[in-house]
Short mmCIF file of all heavy atoms in Angstrom, two decimals:
data_model
loop_
_atom_site.label_atom_id
_atom_site.label_comp_id
_atom_site.label_asym_id
_atom_site.label_seq_id
_atom_site.Cartn_x
_atom_site.Cartn_y
_atom_site.Cartn_z
N ASN A 69 19.99 6.01 -39.72
CA ASN A 69 19.24 7.17 -40.15
C ASN A 69 18.56 8.05 -39.06
O ASN A 69 18.52 9.30 -39.03
CB ASN A 69 18.00 6.84 -41.19
CG ASN A 69 18.71 6.48 -42.61
OD1 ASN A 69 19.75 7.02 -42.99
ND2 ASN A 69 18.00 5.65 -43.34
N ALA A 70 18.03 7.28 -38.18
CA ALA A 70 17.49 7.88 -37.03
C ALA A 70 18.36 8.84 -36.15
O ALA A 70 18.08 9.98 -35.78
CB ALA A 70 16.72 6.86 -36.06
N LEU A 71 19.62 8.23 -35.91
CA LEU A 71 20.64 9.03 -35.31
C LEU A 71 21.01 10.25 -36.15
O LEU A 71 21.21 11.38 -35.61
CB LEU A 71 21.91 8.17 -35.05
CG LEU A 71 21.63 7.01 -33.95
CD1 LEU A 71 22.90 6.18 -33.94
CD2 LEU A 71 21.22 7.57 -32.73
N LYS A 72 21.19 10.08 -37.42
CA LYS A 72 21.67 11.07 -38.33
C LYS A 72 20.53 12.15 -38.38
O LYS A 72 20.97 13.44 -38.48
CB LYS A 72 21.77 10.59 -39.69
CG LYS A 72 22.32 11.64 -40.76
CD LYS A 72 22.64 10.91 -42.07
CE LYS A 72 21.54 10.31 -42.70
NZ LYS A 72 21.78 9.71 -44.07
N HIS A 73 19.34 11.94 -38.39
CA HIS A 73 18.35 12.85 -38.55
C HIS A 73 18.17 13.84 -37.35
O HIS A 73 17.74 14.89 -37.41
CB HIS A 73 16.92 12.24 -38.74
CG HIS A 73 16.80 11.55 -40.23
ND1 HIS A 73 15.88 10.64 -40.52
CD2 HIS A 73 17.68 11.76 -41.23
CE1 HIS A 73 16.09 10.27 -41.74
NE2 HIS A 73 17.16 10.99 -42.23
N ARG A 74 18.63 13.17 -36.10
CA ARG A 74 18.63 14.16 -35.01
C ARG A 74 19.85 15.22 -35.15
O ARG A 74 19.58 16.36 -34.87
CB ARG A 74 18.89 13.41 -33.77
CG ARG A 74 18.85 14.34 -32.47
CD ARG A 74 19.11 13.72 -31.19
NE ARG A 74 19.33 14.69 -30.09
CZ ARG A 74 19.75 14.32 -28.86
NH1 ARG A 74 19.94 13.15 -28.54
NH2 ARG A 74 19.96 15.31 -28.00
N ILE A 75 20.87 14.78 -35.63
CA ILE A 75 22.02 15.70 -35.79
C ILE A 75 21.58 16.78 -36.89
O ILE A 75 22.05 17.86 -36.80
CB ILE A 75 23.30 14.88 -36.36
CG1 ILE A 75 23.76 13.88 -35.17
CG2 ILE A 75 24.39 15.82 -36.79
CD1 ILE A 75 24.80 12.91 -35.71
N GLN A 76 20.95 16.34 -37.92
CA GLN A 76 20.36 17.19 -38.93
C GLN A 76 19.19 18.08 -38.39
O GLN A 76 18.74 18.95 -39.28
CB GLN A 76 19.98 16.44 -40.14
CG GLN A 76 21.23 15.73 -40.87
CD GLN A 76 20.77 14.83 -41.89
OE1 GLN A 76 19.64 14.34 -41.89
NE2 GLN A 76 21.70 14.57 -42.78
N LYS A 77 18.72 17.85 -37.13
CA LYS A 77 17.61 18.53 -36.63
C LYS A 77 16.35 18.34 -37.47
O LYS A 77 15.42 19.27 -37.62
CB LYS A 77 17.96 20.11 -36.42
CG LYS A 77 19.14 20.33 -35.64
CD LYS A 77 19.37 21.74 -35.37
CE LYS A 77 20.72 22.05 -34.63
NZ LYS A 77 20.94 21.19 -33.48
N LEU A 78 16.08 17.17 -37.93
CA LEU A 78 14.87 16.78 -38.71
C LEU A 78 13.96 16.00 -37.76
O LEU A 78 12.72 16.17 -37.84
CB LEU A 78 15.33 16.05 -39.88
CG LEU A 78 16.08 16.65 -40.94
CD1 LEU A 78 16.58 15.69 -41.93
CD2 LEU A 78 15.45 17.77 -41.54
N GLU A 79 14.50 14.97 -37.03
CA GLU A 79 13.66 14.15 -36.19
C GLU A 79 14.48 13.88 -34.88
O GLU A 79 15.71 13.82 -34.90
CB GLU A 79 13.50 12.74 -36.98
CG GLU A 79 12.67 12.92 -38.26
CD GLU A 79 12.59 11.68 -38.99
OE1 GLU A 79 13.47 10.74 -38.80
OE2 GLU A 79 11.64 11.47 -39.78
N TYR A 80 13.76 13.65 -33.90
CA TYR A 80 14.36 13.37 -32.57
C TYR A 80 13.69 11.91 -32.15
O TYR A 80 12.49 11.85 -31.82
CB TYR A 80 13.96 14.41 -31.56
CG TYR A 80 14.73 14.48 -30.24
CD1 TYR A 80 15.46 15.42 -29.90
CD2 TYR A 80 14.60 13.32 -29.35
CE1 TYR A 80 16.28 15.39 -28.79
CE2 TYR A 80 15.21 13.42 -28.21
CZ TYR A 80 16.04 14.40 -27.90
OH TYR A 80 16.81 14.29 -26.69
N SER A 81 14.51 10.98 -32.18
CA SER A 81 14.05 9.58 -31.82
C SER A 81 14.44 9.29 -30.43
O SER A 81 15.35 9.56 -29.77
CB SER A 81 14.70 8.60 -32.69
OG SER A 81 14.31 8.66 -34.04
N PHE A 82 13.39 8.53 -29.77
CA PHE A 82 13.55 7.98 -28.45
C PHE A 82 13.58 6.53 -28.38
O PHE A 82 12.76 5.85 -29.22
CB PHE A 82 12.37 8.44 -27.46
CG PHE A 82 12.32 10.02 -27.24
CD1 PHE A 82 11.59 10.82 -28.13
CD2 PHE A 82 12.98 10.51 -26.17
CE1 PHE A 82 11.44 12.12 -27.82
CE2 PHE A 82 12.87 11.91 -25.86
CZ PHE A 82 12.19 12.66 -26.79
#
Side-chain angles (χ1 to χ4, degrees):
N69 283 336
L71 294 177
K72 180 175 67 177
H73 290 165
R74 180 182 173 188
I75 295 170
Q76 296 171 334
K77 303 187 187 314
L78 298 174
E79 300 175 337
Y80 193 115
S81 292
F82 293 93

